[in-house]
Amino acid sequence: MLKKVVITQPLPDKNLKGLVGRCDIAVLSGKQSLSSAQARDKLANCHGLICLLSDAIDHFVLDAMPKLEFVSSVSVGVDHIDVAILTERDIPLGHTPGVLAAATADAAFGLLLAAARRLVEGDRYIREGNWRPDNRWSADFFLGKDVSGTTLGIIGLGAIGQAMARRGAGFDMRLLSWTPSGRKVSGVDSVSLEELLSRSDFVSVHLALTGTTHDFLSADKIATMKPGAVLVNTARGGIVNELALAQALDSGHLYAAGLDVFESEPMAMDSPLLHHPRVVVVPHIGSATALTRAKMVELAVRNAKAGLDGRPMPHCVNPEVYPVFGAG
Ligand code: DGY
């Protein structure tokens, strides 16, 4: 009998062809919560789960799947999943690193430019009918912040952070980095976090959200950022203290921010960040290009196929679940 794989949201059929014939596939609508009665029925007999970053895979959901043998997330970040429980139960978790680095760094650099050069404010200005003959171009009209030749501080030098560094180099920026692993990359000055925050005109966050990085850019750390700096976050909202960021913008300590990710998503419409004209917000679209998403699904399917066959996944978050890992 074929094993059952539940996919939490519809994905393009062509990307799933690697699974057809190998398992029974059940697709949830993506609209209902995984803990709803309807979803729980479908989860009860499933051996494999393919999920997205908007699916909270907590112990309630995991307890509803007593036969679960693997989870494959179509995401690089796995903060939506209780990894500790999976590891405790010897269930491998696959994710999709690498393939979204270029698209996410493009989005981060786009946010940096948009925030510094007030591109969204300018767009709003025209659409709201303010660009009139009595309100036209002048020498100080819509002045923004210089980008080229300034200093870019990159927090987290994984694949996305490194891709961001290459984009900064193209804009003749001085590159500083701090990363928990201590990784060094040619052309990027590895400095202490304090030095990065105090020297950078632009700070871009590229860390994973974990227990130790939650609230990483706290009020205290934001207070030590260079006056007039711009913060860009395409990693996870929980890493930056949003209230402290809003206060630093309101007080004029920071110039602007470009944000793709938020502590809670969808973001609350009463967030103080939305009231600040120099905050550019987009709805977690860092990896949202057709090619990147196709590559992410392809990798998630490869991880799922390995899970079905009982082979090590090509990209496993908790490889310690494989006996060979412990033996090595
Ligand atoms: C991920 O895959 O974790 C990214 O946040 C998607 O944009």
Side-chain angles (χ1 to χ4, degrees), residues 53 74-80 96 100 104 160 234-236 260-261 284-288 293 296:
L53 60 82
V74 189
S75 65
V76 63
V78 291
D79 47 288
H80 54 298
T96 63
L100 45 71
T104 308
I160 304 174
T234 51
R236 283 294 183 272
D260 179 41
V261 288
H284 203 148
I285 56 172
S287 66
R293 287 289 161 79
M296 290 169 73

Side-chain angles (χ1 to χ4, degrees), residues 194-242:
E194 293 70 29
E195 186 174 345
L196 182 147
L197 293 175
S198 65
R199 283 182 52 199
S200 299
D201 301 295
F202 296 89
V203 172
S204 192
V205 182
H206 300 285
L207 293 173
L209 176 60
T210 63
T212 46
T213 59
H214 186 261
D215 207 31
F216 183 81
L217 277 190
S218 58
D220 287 353
K221 291 208 186 81
I222 290 173
T224 66
M225 287 175 70
K226 183 172 177 177
V230 172
L231 180 72
V232 174
N233 187 8
T234 51
R236 283 294 183 272
I239 297 170
V240 175
N241 185 310
E242 292 182 351

